[in-house]
Amino acid sequence: MNTSRHSLRRFLHSTCLALLAASSSLALLMPAEAASNRVQEVSGTWTFRLLPNDPATAQHADTTQWHAAQVPGHVHTDLLAHHLIADPYVGDAEAGLQWIGNAAWEYKLEFDIDEKTFNARHQDLVFEGIDTFADIYLNGKKIAATDNAFRRWVLPAKSLLKKRQNELKIILHSPIQSLLPQVQAMPSKLAGNYPSPFGDEPRDAMTGNFARKPGYHYGWDWGPRYVTAGIWRSVKITSYDDVLLQDFHIQQDQLNAQSAALQARFDVQADKDAQIDLEMRVSDPDGKQIMSRSLHARLKKGLNQLALPLQIDHPRRWYPHGMGEQALYSFDLSLKKGRQVIAEQKKRTGLRQVALRRDKDQWGQSFGFVINGIPVFSKGANLIPFDMFPNRVKSEQMRAILQSAKDANMNMLRLWGGGYYESDAFYDMADEMGLMLWQDFMFGGGVVPGYDKNFRENVVAEAKDQLLRLRSHPSIVLWCGNNEEETAWKDWGIGKKLAEENPIFAEHVWSGYVALFGEDLREQVARYGAGVPYWSSSPSNDLADKANDSNNGDKHYWDVWAGSQPVEAYLSETPRFMSEFGLQAWPVQSTVDAFAPRSEQKIDGPLIRAHQKFLAGDGNQRLLLYIRANYHEPKSFADFIYLSQLMQAEGIEMASLHHRSSMPRTMGSLYWQLNDVWPGASWSSVDYFGHWKALHFHARRFFASLTVAALHDKGVTRLSVISDLLQEQNLAWRLRIMDVDGKVWRDTTQALKLPANSAMELAQIKDADLPAEANQKTTYVVVELMKDGKSIARSIAYLLPSKLMQLPDPGLVATIVAEADHYRLDLHADKLARAVWLDFGEHAYKLSDNALSLLPGESISLRLDSKQSLATLRASLRIRHLAQLATSP
């Protein structure tokens, strides 16, 4: 059906045009993070074009004309806004758009500056982010050549700025063409990530790991290859006269339940000796001012480092989601010279202590986070960028994804190193929601030239910029040097191959790695990271001999999926902290409809294959391998979607419950991945449009603060109970051994005193000990956690793969009724209804639960929110369950 597909095109196009039409007026603002006294946004009517002498002009002459541009923005989105390229997300447009990454682009703006800015003694032109290799010209003079998309570029401009009609020109060079000559000249090449399948870059000379730009732009196994460029964050003019407030942060010296000993620390730059007054107002998490302090200071010419002690009695501390409140204090600073306020800044931060526990124990060396003295089991997922083009990410889209993480009872997200450092708004949201952040530095994989002094200096400057910007956020609990670079060198044969080819160079490369990730970044985090721990790589044991070790450090486990091992292998892997593992699935039907018409939705169809980026083993065939291992053969592409999501949800649930029930040996379970950059097949639990896959509904249950696990493996069902709560719980647990038709072979309930923050094994049930009447093809084990006589958590273990079970028609009956401000969907099953999925097609809706199983005779009620009429919802409801696909075994 083409409706959704055209809707996506219209949505993306209208979004681009709306952004192009942004106001051209100049704005004055005083952002919290600005290291300057006055800030004027540089705005107006930006224009762009393909550089006229670029080789691409021969085939793309229409792009050499000047067109309106969006800044912040990207070349691809500007081209799309003017219909100069096909929609990058629809159909199989990817191959035809690779020329953009090999071309050079020119951006231009004419702007004025206001009176106060023009008369200031100091004026700097500031680029908060430019991607990546850019020549910057101001009023005809080249003032900079940039080479890092993650840095903040501050360019002195006093001698060049005019009051009216300033011209800013930016030449954005191709990152591929900028780096390719030096890479091709290397006698021994450094291993990259994913070679381009499109011929826009040689497969044996990949440039992405030499560029300080988002690595995923070069393509990944869950996203397309769009090597874009652009002025991707704001452009400003900062100005001051003779005193500059360069930095302001709150240092937490001591914190406990009784008191918080803090220091407000300031870096002030002075052109000459001067006297200033600092005034600090502190507000509690409810917004009530609780303190006002002042400091009179005599400045010397140059940099002055000042401190103002602050004490808060009985502080409200910041805790992760599920452990306590997300208390955030506000610190408002005014800097005065005489009676004149010359600078104001505001910091909002949470008071919390964070430690990375690395104790030696009977298993090896632990890896787990301790917040305010309390060990935390980290529950969550890995976060990738929200879009291929960051400027297109709206605040509400970002908030919806983070809210989905919180709603699924997650308390941690790992910000993977192949993307970019997120916006200030993102970290504010994480602070508010109590989502701990494992923050990678932006190294996604491959081998980087750490042996190059200039490269390392560039990265150190980048790290300092980001640490200073982000250190006030209590959500950040770890800075990690990179993703998978150490294990790639040690475990994937990359280091061995280079050592065989060129041993001297290999040693040089590894020494550079240790210098960059073992020393340089560690030192920057120690200096500017506000006490947050540092970890050199993931997976790693922080540069110990073995990188991806189950007994020490964090673990990435891909024997399941990439190694084609059965999902049951998850139960034999018990790491100290699982920071990556995953199974793929297709998104919901309406998301697939957005990029491919129904007639093209075939497992091996070209449009479907174009949106399946796992090429190493043919992603759809790998999906079929796992589907066929446990379920029936899909009869249609819709079945394929349903079964892929079921396989993903049940597999990740098995692994996550195993991790949680292995506490305290295992202290973290972060599956790959939370979200998507575009509509397509991936490991995500929430698709590009924010729709929850089956996995996310399961995650809300298996990450609940109180839950149970029934895990069947090798003829034994192991029953466990898990609590993240910080108080002992008086509960009960109920065990039933049942038949699909509703017969109960065993039904027992026992009292349970569950210690705080713990996991406990309840029982082990061998298949051989089941009642003689129980048929494995129809029997399953149900364990429930009971509180005040009500079931609060449930886990079901099946004794055979689904394809070998005899699942009856469950006799499902669904009724939808209207209530005050929503609908109610009532569902009843006469017999076991396994893996029920409710869907309303192309209509927008939200269900309070989905991807669930009903026991024989069970009835449930779900909340249904939709703007559609009752008649439309009743007519469009489609129900899937596993018995529909069953055939006689």
Side-chain angles (χ1 to χ4, degrees):
M1 199 163 98
N2 291 327
T3 306
S4 295
R5 185 183 182 197
H6 293 317
S7 296
L8 173 64
R9 189 188 302 273
R10 288 196 302 270
F11 166 74
L12 297 176
H13 179 233
S14 63
T15 299
C16 290
L17 289 180
L19 290 167
L20 285 172
S23 170
S24 61
S25 63
L26 294 173
L28 294 179
L29 61 151
M30 195 65 63
E33 297 297 337
S36 173
N37 294 14
R38 284 179 51 80
V39 180
Q40 176 180 311
E41 292 281 354
V42 174
S43 59
T45 303
W46 284 90
T47 56
F48 85 108
R49 65 176 179 175
L50 177 67
L51 204 63
N53 61 354
D54 191 274
T57 58
Q59 292 184 311
H60 304 281
D62 52 348
T63 64
T64 62
Q65 304 301 311
W66 288 105
H67 293 87
Q70 172 199 337
V71 173
H74 310 274
V75 171
H76 284 75
T77 51
D78 285 334
L79 290 168
L80 177 63
H82 294 284
H83 307 285
L84 295 170
I85 60 171
D87 191 317
Y89 287 4
V90 174
D92 56 357
E94 186 181 358
L97 301 181
Q98 295 308 308
W99 64 273
I100 301 169
N102 269 299
W105 301 89
E106 182 177 8
Y107 279 69
K108 190 170 64 174
L109 171 71
E110 187 176 283
F111 67 96
D112 301 333
I113 59 176
D114 64 73
E115 188 79 24
K116 289 185 177 179
T117 299
F118 180 71
N119 291 329
R121 292 191 179 96
H122 297 269
Q123 300 161 357
D124 293 326
L125 183 62
V126 179
F127 288 81
E128 298 292 346
I130 188 163
D131 183 8
T132 294
F133 295 96
D135 292 332
I136 302 174
Y137 297 83
L138 179 60
N139 292 327
K141 182 177 176 59
K142 183 176 177 179
I143 59 172
T146 70
D147 60 357
N148 190 324
F150 309 124
R151 284 181 60 180
R152 184 174 189 262
W153 297 93
V154 180
L155 310 175
K158 173 69 175 178
S159 63
L160 293 174
L161 280 170
K162 304 181 294 184
K163 196 170 183 180
R164 299 284 180 266
Q165 296 182 326
N166 293 279
E167 184 185 71
L168 185 57
K169 183 174 77 172
I170 317 291
I171 305 296
L172 293 164
H173 299 284
S174 160
I176 297 172
Q177 294 303 319
S178 297
L179 293 167
L180 192 57
Q182 73 183 62
V183 174
Q184 287 182 310
M186 296 175 66
S188 296
K189 305 294 192 294
L190 300 184
N193 291 304
Y194 296 99
S196 174
F198 304 112
D200 57 306
E201 178 181 72
R203 296 178 70 86
D204 64 344
M206 289 181 277
T207 60
N209 42 326
F210 293 83
R212 296 309 299 144
K213 76 175 261 97
Y216 79 110
H217 285 166
Y218 294 85
W220 224 266
D221 55 7
W222 37 255
R225 179 182 174 94
Y226 290 127
V227 187
T228 196
I231 308 163
W232 75 290
R233 283 187 167 152
S234 61
V235 186
K236 305 171 181 176
I237 296 174
T238 63
S239 60
Y240 69 99
D241 288 325
D242 52 8
V243 174
L244 171 66
L245 178 60
Q246 203 168 58
D247 184 56
F248 157 47
H249 75 280
I250 303 299
Q251 177 176 304
Q252 301 182 28
D253 293 331
Q254 187 176 1
L255 177 65
N256 53 46
Q258 286 72 44
S259 66
L262 315 173
Q263 289 188 66
R265 300 191 66 87
F266 318 94
D267 288 352
V268 182
Q269 185 73 32
D271 286 354
K272 57 187 178 181
D273 293 355
Q275 296 187 44
I276 61 167
D277 291 292
L278 295 165
E279 293 184 1
M280 175 69 66
R281 297 171 301 282
V282 182
S283 299
D284 69 12
D286 298 324
K288 178 183 177 182
Q289 184 172 315
I290 58 172
M291 187 186 308
S292 179
R293 298 286 185 271
S294 61
L295 173 68
H296 180 75
R298 296 179 180 272
L299 303 180
K300 298 292 185 181
K301 181 180 179 180
L303 179 63
N304 297 261
Q305 295 183 315
L306 310 174
L308 178 62
L310 303 170
Q311 173 108 5
I312 298 177
D313 293 329
H314 306 291
R316 291 162 62 180
R317 288 177 286 179
W318 185 95
Y319 285 92
H321 172 52
M323 288 182 63
E325 72 168 327
Q326 287 72 61
L328 296 168
Y329 285 82
S330 295
F331 299 82
D332 292 88
L333 169 70
S334 295
L335 189 154
K336 295 182 178 180
K337 191 177 179 184
R339 294 185 176 181
Q340 182 184 8
V341 176
I342 60 174
E344 291 181 307
Q345 281 193 28
K346 179 176 182 177
K347 295 285 182 182
R348 189 180 67 156
T349 191
L351 307 181
R352 63 99 180 89
Q353 293 173 310
V354 56
L356 180 62
R357 179 165 288 175
R358 301 283 290 122
D359 296 339
K360 295 279 189 180
D361 56 27
Q362 66 267 42
W363 302 292
Q365 191 170 6
S366 67
F367 185 104
F369 294 91
V370 180
I371 305 296
N372 298 327
I374 302 170
V376 182
F377 188 97
S378 300
K379 308 175 297 184
N382 289 260
L383 187 88
I384 65 171
F386 297 97
D387 198 287
M388 285 304 298
F389 312 109
N391 75 295
R392 205 156 61 175
V393 179
K394 295 183 177 179
S395 179
E396 54 267 31
Q397 174 190 357
M398 198 159 49
R399 182 174 290 278
I401 297 293
L402 292 184
Q403 187 63 50
S404 290
K406 181 179 179 181
D407 290 345
N409 295 305
M410 296 182 183
N411 62 19
M412 175 176 275
L413 297 174
R414 173 176 173 246
L415 275 69
W416 168 77
Y420 53 87
Y421 306 95
E422 280 292 346
S423 65
D424 295 337
F426 171 89
Y427 296 96
D428 286 341
M429 293 176 194
D431 293 344
E432 294 162 4
M433 295 184 191
L435 294 171
M436 295 183 291
L437 301 177
W438 167 318
Q439 176 69 63
D440 281 2
F441 284 100
M442 289 301 115
F443 294 90
V447 181
V448 297
Y451 54 83
D452 184 325
K453 181 174 179 289
N454 291 331
F455 182 88
R456 282 170 49 202
E457 288 177 350
N458 196 359
V459 172
V460 166
E462 163 196 323
K464 181 180 177 181
D465 280 354
Q466 297 300 334
L467 286 161
L468 291 177
R469 179 172 74 96
L470 299 175
R471 63 179 167 181
S472 295
H473 293 283
S475 53
I476 298 177
V477 298
L478 184 72
W479 283 93
C480 180
N482 66 70
N483 171 76
E484 294 189 342
E485 294 197 5
E486 183 183 349
T487 193
W489 183 268
K490 293 179 176 179
D491 303 327
W492 301 356
I494 289 176
K496 180 180 178 182
K497 181 177 182 295
L498 189 59
E500 291 171 350
E501 183 181 303
N502 189 334
I504 295 175
F505 183 53
E507 178 60 34
H508 192 44
V509 171
W510 180 246
S511 295
Y513 175 95
V514 173
L516 177 57
F517 297 110
E519 300 166 13
D520 293 347
L521 290 177
R522 193 185 306 275
E523 180 184 341
Q524 293 300 304
V525 173
R527 183 178 297 179
Y528 302 114
V532 171
Y534 174 77
W535 191 243
S536 61
S537 183
S538 179
S540 176
N541 193 24
D542 209 15
L543 288 169
D545 289 342
K546 191 175 180 181
N548 200 12
D549 188 349
S550 299
N551 296 317
N552 304 279
D554 72 309
K555 179 82 174 179
H556 291 194
Y557 183 71
W558 287 104
D559 288 6
V560 177
W561 181 264
S564 300
Q565 292 296 305
V567 291
E568 291 78 16
Y570 280 135
L571 300 177
S572 300
E573 176 57 47
T574 311
R576 309 315 306 267
F577 191 107
M578 187 71 91
S579 47
E580 272 194 31
F581 66 104
L583 290 165
Q584 241 202 29
W586 278 86
V588 299
Q589 182 68 63
S590 62
T591 295
V592 178
D593 291 341
F595 64 80
R598 293 283 178 95
S599 61
E600 297 286 341
Q601 293 180 23
K602 299 167 184 157
I603 290 177
D604 287 320
L607 298 191
I608 293 302
R609 291 182 69 88
H611 287 252
Q612 167 58 274
K613 306 308 294 183
F614 183 73
L615 305 178
D618 190 329
N620 285 348
Q621 292 303 311
R622 189 65 55 86
L623 276 169
L624 283 172
L625 173 73
Y626 280 95
I627 289 170
R628 288 165 176 162
N630 285 288
Y631 310 98
H632 294 281
E633 188 77 13
K635 301 170 185 175
S636 65
F637 193 78
D639 289 347
F640 184 53
I641 291 173
Y642 166 75
L643 287 172
S644 73
Q645 289 200 20
L646 174 59
M647 178 276 298
Q648 180 195 41
E650 293 193 342
I652 299 303
E653 176 171 335
M654 176 192 297
S656 297
L657 287 176
H658 170 61
H659 301 153
R660 294 192 69 192
S661 61
S662 300
M663 178 183 176
R665 173 180 171 134
T666 303
M667 287 302 292
S669 184
L670 308 180
Y671 64 75
W672 186 272
Q673 67 208 57
L674 177 64
N675 61 310
D676 278 332
V677 297
W678 80 326
S682 83
W683 294 260
S684 72
S685 60
V686 180
D687 75 21
Y688 175 72
F689 294 112
H691 302 130
W692 288 20
K693 295 181 184 176
L695 170 56
H696 210 77
F697 288 100
H698 280 240
R700 184 167 59 187
R701 296 189 281 268
F702 64 67
F703 279 152
S705 293
L706 286 171
T707 196
V708 284
L711 301 172
H712 183 267
D713 188 36
K714 299 180 177 68
V716 178
T717 301
R718 181 165 54 91
L719 308 180
S720 302
V721 60
I722 304 120
S723 173
D724 290 336
L725 300 178
L726 303 183
Q727 303 82 29
E728 182 180 76
Q729 302 292 311
N730 290 310
L731 305 166
W733 65 280
R734 181 184 185 189
L735 167 66
R736 280 181 285 176
I737 300 173
M738 298 183 66
D739 183 274
V740 294
D741 292 325
K743 294 176 184 175
V744 180
W745 305 112
R746 186 182 300 170
D747 188 348
T748 61
T749 301
Q750 296 184 42
L752 171 66
K753 189 176 288 293
L754 182 59
N757 206 14
S758 68
M760 175 190 299
E761 185 172 281
L762 298 171
Q764 291 189 9
I765 303 171
K766 295 180 180 179
D767 292 356
D769 295 337
L770 292 172
E773 307 91 328
N775 182 343
Q776 286 195 348
K777 292 184 178 182
T778 59
T779 299
Y780 51 97
V781 177
V782 183
V783 61
E784 290 180 290
L785 199 58
M786 315 293 291
K787 186 171 185 178
D788 300 327
K790 295 181 179 179
S791 174
I792 59 172
R794 174 196 290 171
S795 184
I796 302 175
Y798 302 97
L799 310 182
L800 292 174
S802 170
K803 65 182 181 181
L804 300 180
M805 291 189 68
Q806 296 173 348
L807 294 175
D809 182 338
L812 279 172
V813 177
T815 306
I816 305 174
V817 297
E819 299 208 329
D821 60 347
H822 63 280
Y823 298 102
R824 189 186 76 243
L825 192 156
D826 296 325
L827 196 62
H828 174 82
D830 290 332
K831 301 179 181 180
L832 176 69
R834 182 174 172 186
V836 176
W837 180 260
L838 307 164
D839 184 74
F840 293 89
E842 63 183 16
H843 301 300
Y845 67 95
K846 182 179 180 181
L847 273 169
S848 60
D849 205 358
N850 210 339
L852 41 80
S853 294
L854 278 72
L855 299 179
E858 186 173 15
S859 297
I860 61 171
S861 293
L862 305 175
R863 178 181 173 122
L864 169 61
D865 289 282
S866 178
K867 294 181 180 179
Q868 299 299 319
S869 69
L870 181 60
T872 298
L873 291 172
R874 286 173 172 169
S876 60
L877 174 62
R878 297 292 180 268
I879 305 177
R880 285 185 172 272
H881 54 81
L882 209 46
Q884 292 169 332
L885 299 177
T887 56
S888 299

